[in-house]
Amino acid sequence: MTQAETMQTVQEDTWLNASFWANIALAGVSILLFVYMGRTVTDPRAQLIYVATILVPLVSISSYLGLVSGLTISFLEMPSGHALAGEEVLTMWGRYLTWTLSTPMILLALGLLAGTNLTKLFTIITADIAMCITGLAAALTTSSYALRWFWYLISCAFFLVVLYVLLVEWPRDAELAGTAEIFNLLKILTVIMWFGYPIFWALGSEGLAVLEVATTSWGYSGLDIVAKYIFAFLLLNWVRNNERTIAETSTTFRTETATPADD
Ligand code: RET
């Protein structure tokens, strides 16, 4: 199928098409709003949180344009064992690709808020990128049904690393940084939303094919709305009102470690 034909197929499915355009519109509004909100922020660390967070809707608008135009969508023939074996199934692989850019930005912003050190930041971001790339591999594998799920499990293993830093390491750091309250709210929101993605993958046409393509797409789009735009608004609004806390307590770029007194 050519790109134009794929685009045509998307356009003919109103429900699927709407799941893309709703996000393009919301990402656009978010970019304008966040740039406006950030105009008075002067501390470099608070500004970095702003830049990282604004990149999330910027990546998103590009991602959804790729989907809506047929550029990052393909019809793939599913291997035997799959519920739709032998059929050409619409795969929105562009989503997994662009998550490799947007999710690290979410984690960078959260890490800066928590006052993470560079080791934890590096660990969570590399695990997160690996999670997205192996998820992409799972979606694109057409040679074997078992291998699709094998990739999926590898992706889940990387997801566990992300969850560990988010749920165990950073809450302690945020306590010391004086940002625990907002960090814990955003942590809960992030963890709950992020769990939704592997669930939709497993239930959608990529996995067990219990859900229709358009329903799966709306699942991801709905999660995106909360995990990206609502998340970003809550974070940026807090940073704007508490710039001093970020400026004074962040330890992310401090290289010296505490040394024991030599008495
Ligand atoms: C996949 C499938 C394989 C197993 C796992 C997954 C997790 C995906 C997640 C995505 C989060 C995306 C966000 C995007 C915002 O732009 C790749 C679906 C664990 C957690 C927040």
Side-chain angles (χ1 to χ4, degrees):
M1 220 188 235
T2 65
Q3 230 177 67
E5 284 164 345
T6 312
M7 184 180 165
Q8 179 83 29
T9 316
V10 170
Q11 278 173 354
E12 279 162 9
D13 188 335
T14 318
W15 186 232
L16 178 66
N17 205 20
S19 75
F20 298 152
W21 283 105
N23 263 270
I24 293 175
L26 276 173
V29 171
S30 301
I31 294 163
L32 297 177
L33 175 66
F34 300 159
V35 169
Y36 177 76
M37 282 166 69
R39 74 200 185 287
T40 51
V41 174
T42 52
D43 173 71
R45 288 192 187 96
Q47 283 176 335
L48 183 52
I49 296 184
Y50 257 83
V51 173
T53 311
I54 291 172
L55 272 163
V56 177
L58 279 171
V59 170
S60 192
I61 212 165
S62 323
S63 171
Y64 279 98
L65 277 180
L67 296 173
V68 92
S69 60
L71 175 67
T72 55
I73 282 188
S74 304
F75 281 87
L76 298 181
E77 192 181 316
M78 288 298 138
S80 68
H82 191 277
L84 305 171
E87 280 180 46
E88 297 271 325
V89 174
L90 191 139
T91 299
M92 296 170 282
W93 55 268
R95 284 191 187 272
Y96 315 119
L97 185 71
T98 53
W99 290 347
T100 60
L101 297 169
S102 58
T103 53
M105 293 305 139
I106 294 176
L107 295 175
L108 172 61
L110 271 179
L112 289 167
L113 177 71
T116 180
N117 66 26
L118 275 179
T119 307
K120 293 176 199 175
L121 192 60
F122 179 82
T123 307
I124 196 171
I125 287 187
T126 48
D128 172 68
I129 294 174
M131 173 189 84
C132 297
I133 294 286
T134 48
L136 173 68
L140 289 181
T141 298
T142 52
S143 53
S144 146
Y145 185 53
L147 279 180
R148 288 177 73 85
W149 285 105
F150 195 46
W151 279 119
Y152 180 90
L153 286 181
I154 295 178
S155 179
C156 288
F158 285 118
F159 186 35
L160 287 181
V161 177
V162 172
L163 289 176
Y164 174 78
V165 176
L166 263 178
L167 290 171
V168 180
E169 296 290 339
W170 282 355
R172 283 192 222 133
D173 295 340
E175 205 70 58
L176 295 174
T179 55
E181 206 175 317
I182 179 71
F183 177 81
N184 285 326
L185 172 74
L186 295 174
K187 173 193 77 183
I188 292 167
L189 188 141
T190 300
V191 170
I192 295 177
M193 289 302 121
W194 284 37
F195 259 109
Y197 291 85
I199 294 176
F200 275 107
W201 196 103
L203 296 180
S205 47
E206 321 278 37
L208 302 170
V210 177
L211 301 176
E212 296 277 314
V213 171
T215 314
T216 314
S217 184
W218 262 110
Y220 286 138
S221 290
L223 291 172
D224 273 3
I225 291 170
V226 182
K228 297 204 264 206
Y229 319 123
I230 295 184
F231 164 91
F233 177 78
L234 292 173
L235 171 61
L236 296 182
N237 198 36
W238 190 90
V239 168
R240 187 168 67 128
N241 296 324
N242 298 272
E243 212 181 319
R244 283 292 102 222
T245 314
I246 300 284
E248 282 157 19
T249 57
S250 178
T251 51
T252 308
F253 299 110
R254 224 176 263 163
T255 46
E256 78 273 18
T257 46
T259 44
D262 46 21
D263 53 352

